[in-house]
Amino acid sequence: MSRFEFVPAAEGIARQAGDLLRGFYEKGVATEYKGDVDLVTEADRASEKLIREKLKAAFPAHGIYGEEGTREQLESEYRWYVDPLDGTTNFAHGFPAFCVILGLERRAAGLAADADGEMVAGVVYDPLRHEMFVAERGKGAWLNGKRVHVSKTKTLAESLTATGFPSRKRHGSPNIHFYQEITLRSHGVRRAGAAGLDMAYVACGRLDGFWEFNLNPWDTSAGVLLVEEAGGTVTHFDGGKFTLDSREVLATNGLIMGEMTHLFTEMFAGRELSPIPTPEEFRAQREKAEN
């Protein structure tokens, strides 16, 4: 890990922000609403302020794009996407699943304003479990100094996956339909409420797949690189190239990608899905695959 260029400083900054969040979490925080049920806490703002100051000191030529409003030097070659507290609703309710996300994009000269650059570094830090997930382009994905890889689960039926739902306008999200079908066709679906952790868990093999609608660049920036560097895939639901606008995010270990994209395609088209196998049929399919 000593060969990393950006991670050492970013890891230190994320750890400081995580320590700050942990202090707020232990004493409780005041909350307010950005929308009807969309929370922001004093901890979000304090964490983003700390991260902004530390990033500017460590990388003065880099831009910063933060969830809580920081927009600085966005014309720079390098741009940090910052989620100072991913999982704010969990945090505000005392539910122990949240993290700090820092993702670094390199934008080559002449790149169109609406085009994606290349994600070159990412950090996801869980301050309650003291778990630091890091990656740099071409240098692998790591958890607390140990190299990690995606799982080897081959079928959706044997997979543990995760998803998320918007904190507002849930009635307008079609995801409940996908949640139902994938729950019935897999080993289970988790909904922990922090996309950064979900993608980090795909990278280290705790989850086999993750999907969600309408995330933001600060939600996915680091996770995309973590999953790819761990040997997995991140695409849109149809398997197409992932883009930072994140209208659709599908992260997998690569082995179940085909099944998941097929399922999304069939559901979007309104076609009849194949019947869910009985336990006996599933056992027979598994024995056949092993022989």
Side-chain angles (χ1 to χ4, degrees):
M1 292 180 64
S2 61
R3 68 188 186 279
F4 283 156
E5 180 179 1
F6 303 105
V7 159
E11 179 179 341
I13 293 168
R15 201 176 297 277
Q16 291 177 67
D19 290 344
L20 181 147
L21 292 177
R22 192 166 55 250
F24 276 109
Y25 183 77
E26 290 170 353
K27 74 176 183 180
V29 295
T31 62
E32 59 188 76
Y33 289 87
K34 290 188 281 189
D36 50 358
V37 290
D38 196 3
L39 290 171
V40 61
T41 71
E42 57 183 325
D44 295 75
R45 295 195 176 101
S47 178
E48 183 156 309
K49 180 176 184 292
L50 182 152
I51 293 169
R52 173 191 171 277
E53 292 173 352
K54 299 296 182 179
L55 282 177
K56 296 306 295 181
F59 306 105
H62 290 194
I64 304 174
Y65 196 105
E67 180 180 15
E68 300 309 325
T70 302
R71 303 287 188 274
E72 295 184 359
Q73 296 178 237
L74 298 185
E75 73 287 351
S76 302
E77 178 183 4
Y78 290 95
R79 176 189 298 178
W80 289 94
Y81 291 98
V82 175
D83 193 336
L85 172 50
D86 180 41
T88 301
T89 300
N90 289 342
F91 183 90
H93 286 272
F95 188 82
F98 57 88
C99 62
V100 177
I101 302 174
L102 302 177
L104 180 62
E105 177 191 29
R106 181 180 179 272
R107 302 180 60 79
L111 187 69
D114 60 351
D116 285 355
E118 180 184 44
M119 297 309 303
V120 295
V123 169
V124 174
Y125 180 53
D126 179 345
L128 296 186
R129 295 172 182 80
H130 302 284
E131 291 190 331
M132 181 70 71
F133 300 86
V134 303
E136 280 197 13
R137 177 67 61 186
K139 300 176 183 178
W142 303 75
L143 167 56
N144 289 351
K146 295 183 179 181
R147 189 81 177 258
V148 294
H149 302 277
V150 294
S151 73
K152 297 180 180 180
T153 304
K154 295 180 180 180
T155 65
L156 181 59
E158 297 181 349
S159 293
L160 183 65
T161 63
T163 191
F165 293 87
S167 57
R168 53 182 174 170
K169 298 182 179 177
R170 293 192 188 117
H171 62 282
S173 173
N175 199 28
I176 191 64
H177 305 294
F178 295 95
Y179 179 86
Q180 176 182 352
E181 288 298 333
I182 295 177
T183 295
L184 294 173
R185 296 167 187 277
S186 69
H187 215 184
V189 177
R190 300 293 178 257
R191 194 276 199 227
L197 289 179
D198 289 331
M199 296 187 78
Y201 285 9
V202 172
C204 73
R206 293 174 183 171
L207 293 170
D208 306 300
F210 164 74
W211 83 95
E212 193 165 345
F213 290 83
N214 298 326
L215 292 175
N216 295 291
W218 50 76
D219 296 310
T220 58
S221 58
V224 168
L225 188 61
L226 281 165
V227 172
E228 290 178 347
E229 287 295 313
T233 60
V234 184
T235 66
H236 286 166
F237 293 159
D238 63 359
K241 181 178 173 58
F242 174 79
T243 50
L244 279 172
D245 62 18
S246 303
R247 299 307 91 189
E248 299 174 356
V249 180
L250 173 60
T252 77
N253 64 0
L255 300 174
I256 65 168
M257 175 184 165
E259 281 190 86
M260 293 197 74
T261 56
H262 174 74
L263 184 57
F264 281 119
T265 298
E266 295 301 292
M267 288 194 67
F268 277 123
R271 290 192 281 266
E272 290 290 331
L273 300 176
S274 59
I276 297 169
T278 66
E280 292 76 15
E281 290 170 336
F282 173 74
R283 183 173 60 252
Q285 291 171 7
R286 198 169 192 274
E287 290 173 350
K288 182 179 179 180
E290 290 175 350
N291 293 332

